[in-house]
Amino acid sequence: MPLAVAGATGDKQYIGGWRGYNKTVVEEGLKNGLLEERVDIKLYGETLFDALYYAVDPYYSGVSGNSEGINRLFKKLGLKKNVRFEELDESMRKKLYSFLILRLIKKGCEKDILDTVIRSRYYAPGLFNCEMERFADLLDACGKGGHRGLGLSMCLGDKRSFDEAVVLEKKYKQSILDEVLKLEKKGFEEREGFRYFYSRDSSLGGVICGIAVNFILDREKPLLSLVRKDDEVHVSCRGNQYLVSRGLDLGGAMKIVADRLGGFGGGHSIAAGATIGLDKEKMFLDLVDEIVSKQLKKNIGGK
């Protein structure tokens, strides 16, 4: 049962509240002692410094991956570098929460994302007393890092595998931070209907797009990640609920354009991907721009 909740949590199906079978599973887990519920923020690490440094979802601009920024925050709050999150009293936690939430608000973070930062979280006593979103993150790090067997062993309750996954997660998050920090500094390419950038790792493209769309960029355009590999271009893209409400359908756009160019693509309205030939890259960008621009204009003034 906890693994089912970890999967649903990793897919962010908690946004807007649990519904259907997910709600039933969570309620049964709480009733039978397989889950414990606490309202808290997502900060995990041996120290609070580590937890803030490796925070990627939410991503706190100027803090995540930024040692100097964290040191300034600690000085402002009067905290020692090696303090653990669990050691903070209620007053200090509220100050920290206020700082982090304000940082997200200043970056224009959408309300539906802000509402998920401090929320009910579910811990599994039988799975290392781990919070389920953190457990999903560890599984993601194992999968993206090519260590699927390690993830399976962790699911079967092997403590050594869990400890190894925690170490692996830091390396995985550092690779994400390296890309995100570079993009914050260098910026993105701009089209009428979307923004895009080039990434070195197709397995990270969608993750980086999601972070940038939710925590760095304004809400007005979706973001595409392009990875050139051999004779192909691998594309990952992400939007937000605001854009979907305006008519965005990334999955439809990816499928139409990829099919037209002899590739393949598809996905959901808010998250999708495609693979096309390297020689078709410019045509791909032009066609996606045309389709996405039309999607977003459709609900403006009846156009």
Side-chain angles (χ1 to χ4, degrees), residues 10-247:
D11 282 341
K12 299 188 183 299
Q13 295 177 30
Y14 55 80
I15 294 177
W18 294 114
R19 297 177 294 276
Y21 288 120
N22 284 339
K23 184 177 180 181
T24 300
V25 169
V26 169
E27 288 176 347
E28 287 295 313
L30 292 170
K31 179 181 176 181
N32 292 292
L34 298 173
L35 296 172
E36 295 176 358
E37 182 178 8
R38 303 173 215 162
V39 176
D40 219 332
I41 201 168
K42 182 182 178 182
L43 284 175
Y44 311 115
E46 293 179 14
T47 65
L48 178 59
F49 188 97
D50 271 0
L52 290 168
Y53 183 91
Y54 290 106
V56 296
D57 184 16
Y59 175 85
Y60 302 103
S61 186
V63 175
S64 299
N66 189 325
S67 297
E68 291 182 4
I70 299 172
N71 285 330
R72 285 194 295 270
L73 172 59
F74 275 33
K75 185 175 181 180
K76 181 177 181 180
L77 298 179
L79 293 172
K80 295 180 180 178
K81 186 174 180 178
N82 62 350
V83 68
R84 296 172 60 87
F85 178 64
E86 296 80 5
E87 295 171 347
L88 301 184
D89 60 28
E90 192 65 26
S91 174
M92 187 56 71
R93 287 194 183 202
K94 287 181 178 179
K95 288 180 182 178
L96 177 63
Y97 293 173
S98 296
F99 175 88
L100 295 176
I101 293 293
L102 185 60
R103 181 58 59 100
L104 295 179
I105 292 172
K106 285 182 176 179
K107 291 298 293 185
C109 193
E110 291 291 289
K111 184 181 182 301
D112 63 325
I113 301 297
L114 288 172
D115 288 344
T116 68
V117 178
I118 301 174
R119 62 175 175 80
S120 292
R121 296 181 178 277
Y122 300 91
Y123 295 75
L127 275 177
F128 324 109
N129 201 33
C130 188
E131 193 267 328
M132 291 295 91
E133 186 173 11
R134 204 295 167 82
F135 197 86
D137 287 348
L138 291 170
L139 287 175
D140 193 42
C142 289
K144 297 283 176 57
H147 299 273
R148 294 175 178 82
L150 185 66
L152 177 59
S153 295
M154 187 175 69
C155 289
L156 295 174
D158 183 64
K159 181 62 167 62
R160 182 176 177 181
S161 296
F162 178 82
D163 293 339
E164 288 182 27
V166 169
V167 175
L168 181 66
E169 183 193 30
K170 281 189 176 183
K171 295 179 181 177
Y172 173 61
K173 286 187 173 180
Q174 186 62 63
S175 64
I176 294 173
L177 287 167
D178 290 343
E179 291 275 308
V180 174
L181 291 166
K182 182 175 71 176
L183 289 173
E184 271 200 293
K185 184 177 181 180
K186 294 187 175 181
F188 305 79
E189 301 292 331
E190 196 92 22
R191 287 288 189 112
E192 181 185 354
F194 61 86
R195 300 180 177 101
Y196 69 98
F197 67 97
Y198 291 92
S199 179
R200 57 181 174 78
D201 189 338
S202 58
S203 69
L204 295 180
V207 176
I208 295 163
C209 279
I211 293 169
V213 165
N214 289 329
F215 304 111
I216 297 174
L217 299 170
D218 64 51
R219 68 180 185 172
E220 299 301 326
K221 295 181 181 182
L223 180 64
L224 277 63
S225 161
L226 280 68
V227 177
R228 293 167 172 164
K229 187 174 181 181
D230 299 325
D231 59 347
E232 293 181 330
V233 178
H234 300 271
V235 184
S236 296
C237 49
R238 297 291 184 273
N240 54 46
Q241 292 296 340
Y242 164 74
L243 291 171
V244 170
S245 73
R246 284 185 52 197

